[in-house]
């Protein structure tokens, strides 16, 4: 899809989702709150904007959110590329808990022959597909699935990428074993860790009391 086509589509987004687009481009008033409801399902793809975390450039000056992580320029993306000898050409990549698909798409755009994003939330995968479609990235795909079940359907991947997922699972050690069995070359894990003496996140008063 060429840039003129993206610009044409974007003009349609502006007509249909004025408040969301103003927030997306940072023009809304400071007190504006844009809510993307989980229920009911989005009526159209413009209702999927803005994204919650992945800042993906769809066209010059047009990004999926005004804040968040730019996966194309993120250090974790570069770490994976460096670990693969400076290029992803011919490599297969799986992104576990891919959220809105920014890293999956970045790997595909940086040369991976195939990039698969696995995500549990249907709404997130709809956002992944929106970005993939607008960017015309054919070597990326997204599925709503259980990670262990989906990995069992595939041969090992050259790269297994897991960022912001390990601390969500009930059995982290088992999850890492699943990752290892699916990894043919490089695995990157980025997660929060628990320090017994220092809080890394603000907890609610209820959680704090129950922890003592």
């Amino acid at each position: 899809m060429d840039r003129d086509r993206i610009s044409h589509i974007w003009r349609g987004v502006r007509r249909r989702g004025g408040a969301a687009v103003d927030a997306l481009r940072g023009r809304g008033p400071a007190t504006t709150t844009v809510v993307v409801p989980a229920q009911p399902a989005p009526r159209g793809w413009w209702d999927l904007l803005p994204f919650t975390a992945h800042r993906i450039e769809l066209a010059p000056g047009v990004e999926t959110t005004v804040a968040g992580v730019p996966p194309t320029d993120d250090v974790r993306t570069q770490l994976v590329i460096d670990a693969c000898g400076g290029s992803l050409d011919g490599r297969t990549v799986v992104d576990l808990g891919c959220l809105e698909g920014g890293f999956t798409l970045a790997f595909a755009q940086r040369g991976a022959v195939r990039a698969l994003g696995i995500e549990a939330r249907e709404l997130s995968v709809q956002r992944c597909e929106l970005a993939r479609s607008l960017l015309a990235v054919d070597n990326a795909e997204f599925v709503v699935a259980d990670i262990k079940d989906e990995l069992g359907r595939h041969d090992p991947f050259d790269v297994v990428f897991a960022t912001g997922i390990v601390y969500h699972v009930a059995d982290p050690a088992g999850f890492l074993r699943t990752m290892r069995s699916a990894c043919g070359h490089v695995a990157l894990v980025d997660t929060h860790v628990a320090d017994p003496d220092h809080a890394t996140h603000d907890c609610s008063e209820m959680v704090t009391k129950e922890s003592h």
Side-chain angles (χ1 to χ4, degrees):
M1 184 181 296
D2 60 30
R3 293 300 176 94
D4 288 342
R5 176 60 176 160
I6 293 174
S7 297
H8 174 74
I9 292 173
W10 186 248
R11 286 194 292 271
V13 176
R14 293 194 63 190
R15 287 194 300 271
R16 299 180 183 94
V21 172
D22 283 344
L24 187 63
R25 283 188 155 170
R27 292 200 299 263
T31 57
T32 297
T33 300
V34 178
V35 177
V36 179
Q39 296 292 335
R43 295 185 300 275
W45 62 268
W46 52 88
D47 290 326
L48 298 172
L49 299 170
F51 285 13
T52 62
H54 289 179
R55 192 167 84 242
I56 304 167
E57 186 180 51
L58 302 176
V62 179
E63 296 179 320
T64 52
T65 183
V66 294
V69 176
T72 300
D73 302 322
D74 192 270
V75 65
R76 290 163 290 187
T77 302
Q78 192 58 49
L79 283 171
V80 167
I81 294 170
D82 291 346
C84 290
S87 173
L88 293 179
D89 290 353
R91 302 285 191 177
T92 58
V93 182
V94 63
D95 183 359
L96 308 181
C98 66
L99 191 59
E100 293 154 343
F103 286 97
T104 312
L105 292 168
F107 294 134
Q109 291 173 315
R110 296 292 292 271
V113 67
R114 181 190 183 207
L116 172 65
I118 305 174
E119 172 59 43
R121 291 163 288 199
E122 174 68 33
L123 179 60
S124 292
V125 170
Q126 289 180 32
R127 287 176 170 145
C128 294
E129 287 293 347
L130 168 62
R132 187 196 63 76
S133 176
L134 289 175
L135 294 172
V137 178
D138 296 329
N139 53 331
E141 58 186 295
F142 300 96
V143 294
V144 179
D146 174 83
I147 288 173
K148 185 175 182 179
D149 290 347
E150 186 63 26
L151 289 177
R153 300 186 181 100
H154 303 273
D155 293 332
F157 292 81
D158 294 311
V159 177
V160 178
F161 184 80
T163 179
I165 179 66
V166 175
Y167 54 85
H168 286 293
V169 301
D171 179 13
F175 181 83
L176 292 174
R177 286 192 291 271
T178 297
M179 282 185 61
R180 177 65 186 89
S181 66
C183 181
H185 183 58
V186 171
L188 185 146
V189 179
D190 178 28
T191 187
H192 294 295
V193 295
D195 186 323
D197 299 317
H198 301 89
T200 56
H201 288 74
D202 291 331
C203 296
S204 70
E205 184 178 348
M206 181 181 297
V207 171
T208 303
K209 287 180 179 179
E210 291 180 352
S211 66
H212 292 299

